[in-house]
Amino acid sequence: MKDSVKEKSIAQDSRLLLEKARADGVETVWDRFAAQLPNCGYCEMGLSCRICVMGPCRIDPFGEGPQRGVCGADADIIVARNLGRMIAAGAASHSDHGRDLVETLAEVAEGRAEGYGIADEAKLRSFAGEYGIDTNDKDALAVAAELAEALQEDYGTRKKALTLLARAPEKRREIWKKLGIAPRGIDRETSEMMHRTHMGVDNDWQSILLHAMRNALSDGWGGSLIASEVSDILCGTPTPTPTTANAGVLKKDQVNIVVHGHNPVVSEMILLACQSPEMIALAREKGADGINLAGVCCTGNELQMRHGIPMAGNHLSTELVLTTGAVEMMIVDYQCIMPSLGQVAACYHTKMISTSDKARFPGMEHREFHPDNARKIAGELVREAVENFSRRGEVYLPVAPVTATTGFSVEAVVQALGGTPEPLLDAIKKGAIRGAAGVVGCNNPRIKQDHGHVTLMRRLIENDILVVDTGCAAVASAKAGFKTAEAAAMAGDGLKAVCQALKIPPVLHMGSCVDNVRILTLASALANALGTDISDLPIAGAAPEWYSEKAAAIGLYFVASGVYTVLGPMPPITGSANVARLLTQGLNDAVGATFAVEPDPEKAALLIRRHIEDKRRNLGLDAKAV
Ligand code: BF8
Ligand code: SF4
């Protein structure tokens, strides 16, 4: 007998839709997860290697079987190499997404990207200034052209260090320099990681892990940071915006289009097409009340925080939203898109469209978006979605959406504070706010959907820790109702008073996964204001339900930037006591922060509270016993 849906998710929409999926005979991620159990113990511990075809090899963790692969690699080397390659894949994903935005910026500058433009000229100019570009007497497009060129340089040329490392506090940059881990080029560090982990190159597990940090930093202070900033330049810097979340955002009487993936270059054009009066008129002709655009996952976050577009769900909900029978079309770009989606959609009338030249999926029609044709293709797709409305069968929308406020970019947070970070610092110094935590990352069927995020955030805000969130964690907290000004009532007295005075929620949405860099930028600003380093601040990170290589890269750039980070699911490192010890203890001496692994969010909350109080004590602020 199948498990109860209550074991799978805390979200009511997911529970009901999972029952619907079962009734409809639709296989979901939970079914496939169960079919994989028990997982391979060697792989779970990071002890299997298939880097070359002298292998595959595995190391016996009990010491009875082989202790070396065919080439002679031991457990430490194999675990470190596997982790290194995981970081490389994560850094490559964020950074390549950033490159697509830079290329769009270049095409905007050349006038070849109809529909796109410069939405935030002030940010364009200040960002160009960081690259040493003289913006005086130049029009925006000329600045954009020079900036796009300079950004491309950061990806691939011979340099000593990435330009944007300059944002990090001086002390942090010195640490990176001393350890030899200041990233030089974005592509270079990923490429070097693949080289180092080829058979017979870097066979010192510590040296591999040091490079893994450099590779992760090339993402956090390079590719992701560029992705986030250029998205703001092209699509607008987010400001607090009212919106709604959960599968109930789909509308019975409207044409529903769902965007899924990460690249706002696609979703922004779909939004424009959905707003066209001609398309809305066509929808009416077809008997619908209008066109309802909704998002899932990170491209959903991008649209939600800039335009208030409703959020239908996070990672484990992406199959379930299709089982509503209410989605006329799902349009995907890349990353975190389950290859099963086409099969789920085939049970309903939903049309599935892939749009990226580098991401194709079974059961999807491929319609390739490029900056110079995106406007046109978006129009065609929205028309097809509207025409698909008449093929709709029965619709099941069993929940009402939850309201939320999203869009807290660093600029918006500072604005909410009255223009400077001082009030936040004062509240932290006085102890009304004990500290801040970034709760980020995915869903993972190993953990009841949203339970990790929601439980951890609840405990943190109850204890006066301000939460900022991104990615699928941000969707979880929106569904749970934490992103309303009224949610301040759930916070401890100190945080409650601050939120009520500023009329902000106790959980601030900072965006998609590439926007984790907004958290770094904010932390750097606080550290600089205090004349200290990020690792001295009473802050922490957490990824309670992470699954992806990207999340691993984020975790490591957080730690390498000085942010103590608690992971829910265990990464595949337990096969090497040396690697596990370095990541959870030894890194403290090197970068002033470590990972902790704690799948129970109640205990994770205690770890974070203890860490924050320790940091307060070290800064000479009042500290509570936890
Ligand atoms: O980049 S949080 S499941 S959707 S990896 Fe993916 Fe994880 Fe969601 Fe966005 Ni981020
Ligand atoms: Fe085996 Fe070494 Fe090849 Fe890995 S690199 S598969 S451990 S021989």
Side-chain angles (χ1 to χ4, degrees), residues 131-315:
Y131 277 80
I133 295 166
D134 177 8
T135 60
N136 288 328
D137 306 325
K138 283 183 195 151
D139 71 19
L141 294 186
V143 174
E146 275 189 60
L147 176 61
E149 186 69 27
L151 294 171
Q152 275 160 341
E153 293 274 302
D154 257 356
Y155 274 86
T157 56
R158 284 186 306 134
K159 279 197 185 170
K160 288 214 171 63
L162 292 180
T163 312
L164 298 169
L165 299 188
R167 280 194 192 182
E170 174 88 44
K171 285 183 184 167
R172 187 55 26 190
R173 280 181 276 143
E174 276 164 22
I175 289 172
W176 294 336
K177 202 167 151 202
K178 199 169 118 231
L179 290 172
I181 59 168
R184 298 152 296 182
I186 297 166
D187 290 341
R188 176 174 184 171
E189 308 310 353
T190 293
S191 183
E192 186 171 312
M193 178 56 85
M194 297 312 285
H195 178 194
R196 281 177 185 246
T197 53
H198 186 281
M199 201 301 275
V201 185
D202 198 350
N203 289 290
D204 177 326
W205 60 272
Q206 283 167 300
S207 149
I208 296 169
L209 293 180
L210 276 174
H211 185 71
M213 284 202 282
R214 176 152 58 175
N215 197 175
L217 289 170
S218 79
D219 174 2
W221 298 86
S224 277
L225 189 43
I226 289 173
S228 182
E229 295 287 11
V230 178
S231 296
D232 285 356
I233 290 169
L234 290 172
C235 312
T237 301
T239 52
T241 312
T243 180
T244 50
N246 81 25
V249 304
L250 299 174
K251 297 203 169 123
K252 207 171 193 137
D253 48 4
Q254 297 202 14
V255 173
N256 291 303
I257 300 178
V258 176
V259 284
H260 179 8
H262 287 77
N263 189 338
V265 167
V266 175
S267 50
E268 286 277 330
M269 280 307 111
I270 300 293
L271 171 61
L272 262 188
C274 288
Q275 290 167 336
S276 125
E278 189 197 337
M279 290 300 154
I280 296 169
L282 183 67
R284 299 236 157 89
E285 239 172 70
K286 300 284 170 191
D289 234 15
I291 304 173
N292 179 40
L293 179 64
V296 290
C297 289
C298 281
T299 209
N301 277 313
E302 300 272 355
L303 284 183
Q304 189 179 42
M305 65 179 175
R306 294 199 176 88
H307 308 290
I309 295 301
M311 171 64 79
N314 46 4
H315 183 52

Side-chain angles (χ1 to χ4, degrees), residues 34 50 62 78 84 182 195 217 227 252 388 398 516 526 541 613 615:
R50 49 175 177 71
F62 304 109
I78 289 178
H195 178 194
L217 289 170
K252 207 171 193 137
N388 199 26
N516 282 309
L526 295 178
E613 296 300 333
K615 291 291 167 185

Side-chain angles (χ1 to χ4, degrees), residues 145 180 467:
V467 171

Side-chain angles (χ1 to χ4, degrees), residues 94 262 297-298 315 335-336 441-443 471-472 513 547-548 550:
H94 288 140
H262 287 77
C297 289
C298 281
H315 183 52
Q335 299 170 14
C336 303
C442 325
N443 291 143
C472 289
C513 276
Y547 92 89
S548 78
K550 291 182 292 167

